[in-house]
Amino acid sequence: MTDWLQHLPVLPVIVPLAVAAALIPVDERERTLKGSISFLSTVAVFVVAMILMRLSAAGEGALPGAGVYQLGNWPAPFGIVLVVDRLSALMLCLTSGLALAAQVYSMARWHTAGHHFHSLLQLLVAGINGAVLTGDLFNLFVFFEMMLAASYGLLLHGSGPLRVKAGLHYVAINLAASSLFLVGVSLIYGATGTLNMADLATKLPALAPESRMLVETGAAVLGIAFLVKSGMWPLSFWLPTAYAATTPPVAAIFAVLTKVGIYVIIRLGLLVFGTAAGASAGFGQSWLLAGGMATIAFGAIGVLASQAMGRLAGYSVLVSSGTLLAAIGLGHPEMIAGALFYLVSSTLTIAAFFLLIELVERGRDAAADVLAVTMEAFGDFDENEEEEEVGVAIPGTMAVLGLCFLVCAVLLSGLPPLSGFIAKFTLLHGLFDVPAAGQARTISAADWTYVALIILSGLAAMIAMNRIGIRTFWASIEGTVPRVVVIEITPVVVLLAACIFLSFQAGPAMRYMQATADDLLNPGGYSDRVLTAPRAGGQ
Amino acid sequence: MELILSAGIGTLTASGVYLLLRPRTYQVVIGLSLLSYAVNLFIFGMGRLRVNAPPILEPGGVGDLARHTDPLAQALVLTAIVIGFAMTALFLVVLLASRGFTGTDHVDGREQRGD
């Protein structure tokens, strides 16, 4: 039993990888079989992620090997380690949950649009899981590349001029970012002689000033690579186009890709440049703050300006990234827990919204869109006809879709009572949190700007969702009600239900997030755990 | 040695960045390749330059740090080369698909006046 448990941390990487490889030789016509195998594998990963989360919630001691898995049984600074803690377990759950939703959704029709959809999805999951588990910088690069390579394939899934054009830009930008990643990693290695994150954190405070400068340069270059991924303002123009061009199940799982960039920034920022880092503590925070705020503003303007729902969702991704980046940049330890809650809630919401968009738009044709815009500009010109339509029942499908849309709108704009509101509330509560008696804390101009931006971005989301909702659901039905299969609406409902569940269980969820934040703010604990972990089989 | 290496990295990076910003997809591919060569040399340089020092122990040899060069940087370069190579191949496929769909090799899929 203990032997089996010991290998738990490596399963979220190995299982999808093996399944992806096994599915490639299977004939493309056996799609349902491929989909089912792939589904079962993701369920297994989800279960493992849940077990890891439960164990890590009970404390590191409950995890097998204190959560440190030594690949090849080499101790930490020399070998590569996988590290499970509350944050990585949370990301594992989020990723595999989204992958499940995307997979079920794709099995209705989207996986027929091209080859090897399920293999690519499994590779993406393996890459993300590896990236959140690894405790080694270069290994992080390898998992990042794996994730990106799979994402190139998935973005191009379904082909067509629009996707290929967006894909070309996406691939070019990410290849350039990967070069920066390598430059950053090798600078850090050249200056400190280590690639292990825990080892790096312990070595940094004692570094000579000239090496420290190199490490900081390396970290800055590395940071740019992650910020491209997470969509910070001047580096994010590719994002809405790429996300809007891709197929809906892929867009849903892509919602977590930006969060992987943010995960790495949280992890490295608090571990390596945390309070214990001496002269380098809080390195780069002012850049994150300024960039994050610019991202919120840009995203909010984009949300207001977009006519198509796909682009609206793309800009919502940017708003969510910006909110998180600026929250990290403000550097108040009280806000970390709220930021993590926001990360989970907004990712689930946006993924559900991406899935919902296609279902809603299926019934509309492009001409109706143009008509709607014209009607807005020149007023209603067929008032007489509407008299005859009084009493037409709303079709059941439209009612369900409309309800889901409503929940999405409430979540995206952060209105009470759902988790979008709770997330923003906890962020702001952390911002204004009065510290222990005796310490006066002033609320700076940056804090106020952040508050204003968060509230205004919520307002922008509400206006945009209102406009699109009215145009879609309250317009006269143009004959075609979208045909929606049960397995397409189920993932949307489940993702939204997860958000609603988060709203009702906000207490336990926030306790978990608070414990995660406490972990992150105590980088010494992480380093000790990784560096003192015993080898398997004695010694 | 140091001068040649740094001048090489600088030239490759400059040419790579210039080509990356050009409007033709083929130029972008070459730019990305040049950039990845520059990065590979850079990683190599980060392991410190040593002439006539092997990265591995010979059988029966003594493990003396003064006589060996850093093997890790070389291992990293190898990984980076493989990944960079695969990504270039993948980008070429996307390039060809784009060319097939749009009939032009402009990165935006359509010609612009003045190019």
Side-chain angles (χ1 to χ4, degrees):
Chain A
M1 184 63 187
T2 47
D3 274 359
W4 177 81
L5 266 180
Q6 209 180 357
H7 297 288
L8 217 51
V10 81
L11 289 182
V13 183
I14 296 257
V15 171
L17 206 57
V19 170
L23 286 181
I24 289 175
V26 180
D27 192 86
E28 249 336 283
R29 277 164 294 184
E30 309 276 349
R31 284 201 185 86
T32 323
L33 176 71
K34 288 178 112 167
S36 316
I37 295 174
S38 173
F39 176 73
L40 287 179
S41 136
T42 320
V43 168
V45 173
F46 186 67
V47 170
V48 170
M50 284 306 252
I51 296 174
L52 286 176
M53 195 155 127
R54 274 209 98 89
L55 288 176
S56 59
E60 277 82 39
L63 281 162
V68 181
Y69 186 83
Q70 294 164 339
L71 294 165
N73 207 8
W74 283 86
F78 306 108
I80 290 170
V81 286
L82 300 183
V83 187
V84 184
D85 63 354
R86 292 191 179 91
L87 181 59
S88 45
L90 180 71
M91 290 298 289
L92 286 180
C93 270
L94 191 60
T95 309
S96 46
L98 284 189
L100 273 182
Q103 206 150 42
V104 172
Y105 187 95
S106 77
M107 281 169 72
R109 61 190 257 179
W110 279 107
H111 70 158
T112 59
H115 292 283
H116 299 304
F117 176 83
H118 293 293
S119 290
L120 286 169
L121 192 68
Q122 291 295 319
L123 282 175
L124 186 77
V125 171
I128 298 177
N129 286 349
V132 299
L133 278 174
T134 185
D136 182 277
L137 275 181
F138 198 79
N139 197 228
L140 178 69
F141 168 74
V142 175
F143 278 125
F144 240 71
E145 284 304 303
M146 198 163 125
M147 170 183 108
L148 288 175
S151 79
Y152 304 151
L154 283 174
L155 180 66
L156 294 169
H157 179 77
S159 197
L162 213 60
R163 284 191 194 115
V164 168
K165 189 183 141 194
L168 193 77
H169 297 175
Y170 177 76
V171 177
I173 284 169
N174 277 302
L175 286 184
S178 298
S179 300
L180 290 178
F181 195 145
L182 278 174
V183 169
V185 167
S186 55
L187 263 174
I188 290 176
Y189 175 69
T192 62
T194 184
L195 285 170
N196 186 290
M197 295 178 194
D199 200 26
L200 186 65
T202 51
K203 279 191 172 155
L204 190 69
L207 270 188
E210 61 269 21
S211 302
R212 178 188 302 283
M213 196 191 73
L214 277 181
V215 172
E216 288 184 354
T217 314
V221 176
L222 201 60
I224 290 176
F226 298 131
L227 290 174
V228 168
K229 202 81 238 55
S230 51
M232 194 171 86
W233 167 59
L235 312 168
S236 63
F237 298 113
W238 56 274
L239 194 143
T241 320
Y243 279 39
T246 189
T247 49
V250 175
I253 186 90
F254 274 20
V256 84
L257 281 195
T258 54
K259 301 302 185 290
V260 176
I262 288 173
Y263 161 85
V264 180
I265 289 169
I266 293 181
R267 165 74 78 208
L268 284 183
L270 290 176
L271 178 65
V272 179
F273 297 109
T275 42
S280 300
F283 173 73
Q285 273 187 349
S286 50
W287 284 96
L288 283 184
L289 177 62
M293 284 187 176
T295 315
I296 304 179
F298 176 68
I301 293 171
V303 162
L304 279 179
S306 36
Q307 292 285 333
M309 283 201 230
R311 290 190 74 82
L312 192 151
Y315 282 109
S316 306
V317 173
L318 289 186
V319 171
S320 144
S321 280
T323 306
L324 284 166
L325 288 173
I328 302 165
L330 280 172
H332 300 314
E334 300 85 6
M335 284 177 73
I336 306 282
L340 293 172
F341 190 88
Y342 180 82
L343 187 152
V344 174
S345 159
S346 71
T347 311
L348 290 174
T349 310
I350 291 171
F353 189 44
F354 268 121
L355 293 180
L356 184 66
I357 287 170
E358 203 263 338
L359 299 182
V360 171
E361 286 193 333
R362 200 173 276 177
R364 306 166 66 197
D365 49 349
D369 254 4
V370 176
L371 192 68
V373 175
T374 336
M375 271 162 63
E376 241 172 49
F378 300 105
D380 235 345
F381 47 73
D382 52 1
E383 276 171 45
N384 303 330
E385 286 177 34
E386 268 178 36
E387 303 271 324
E388 300 157 21
E389 288 186 13
V390 172
V392 173
I394 303 173
T397 319
M398 282 315 269
V400 174
L401 290 180
L403 204 62
C404 288
F405 186 86
L406 178 75
V407 176
C408 267
V410 169
L411 281 165
L412 268 184
S413 47
L415 291 178
L418 295 183
S419 61
F421 168 75
I422 299 175
K424 285 188 178 175
F425 179 78
T426 47
L427 270 176
L428 296 186
H429 181 261
L431 188 66
F432 292 121
D433 202 9
V434 182
Q439 291 173 288
R441 201 180 87 192
T442 48
I443 311 273
S444 66
D447 295 342
W448 284 116
T449 320
Y450 182 69
V451 173
L453 277 172
I454 277 204
I455 292 171
L456 285 179
S457 70
L459 178 68
M462 194 171 72
I463 293 173
M465 291 298 273
N466 260 328
R467 193 176 55 189
I468 283 194
I470 289 173
R471 197 188 296 163
T472 312
F473 294 101
W474 285 356
S476 53
I477 298 155
E478 303 281 326
T480 50
V481 173
R483 263 185 298 164
V484 175
V485 192
V486 179
I487 60 168
E488 285 180 312
I489 193 71
T490 313
V492 180
V493 173
V494 169
L495 286 178
L496 292 176
C499 287
I500 295 171
F501 179 74
L502 261 185
S503 326
F504 286 110
Q505 292 295 314
M510 269 315 286
R511 271 197 292 282
Y512 184 86
M513 303 299 176
Q514 192 56 53
T516 313
D518 293 343
D519 272 2
L520 289 171
L521 293 167
N522 172 26
Y526 178 93
S527 300
D528 285 347
R529 205 145 65 80
V530 172
L531 294 175
T532 59
R535 288 176 61 190
Q539 272 113 75
Chain B
M1 184 73 177
E2 283 82 359
L3 190 67
I4 297 173
L5 186 78
S6 48
I9 295 174
T11 315
L12 283 172
T13 311
S15 330
V17 170
Y18 172 74
L19 284 175
L20 190 62
L21 300 174
R22 300 295 300 157
R24 304 278 151 210
T25 44
Y26 188 69
Q27 291 169 318
V28 174
V29 174
I30 299 296
L32 283 169
S33 317
L34 289 184
L35 209 55
S36 76
Y37 297 149
V39 169
N40 291 341
L41 281 178
F42 184 81
I43 304 174
F44 186 73
M46 277 295 128
R48 304 294 185 273
L49 294 176
R50 297 280 299 277
V51 182
N52 275 342
I56 47 168
L57 286 171
E58 296 112 46
V62 258
D64 180 6
L65 278 181
R67 289 168 49 192
H68 293 277
T69 185
D70 188 346
L72 191 68
Q74 306 196 3
L76 300 187
V77 172
L78 259 178
T79 318
I81 289 175
V82 175
I83 292 179
F85 193 63
M87 292 302 156
T88 311
L90 197 143
F91 193 77
L92 277 171
V93 174
V94 182
L95 181 162
L96 287 177
S98 162
R99 166 97 211 202
F101 275 120
T102 59
T104 161
D105 63 347
H106 195 280
V107 284
D108 286 335
R110 58 168 188 276
E111 294 294 332
Q112 280 168 347
R113 268 177 294 171
D115 281 351

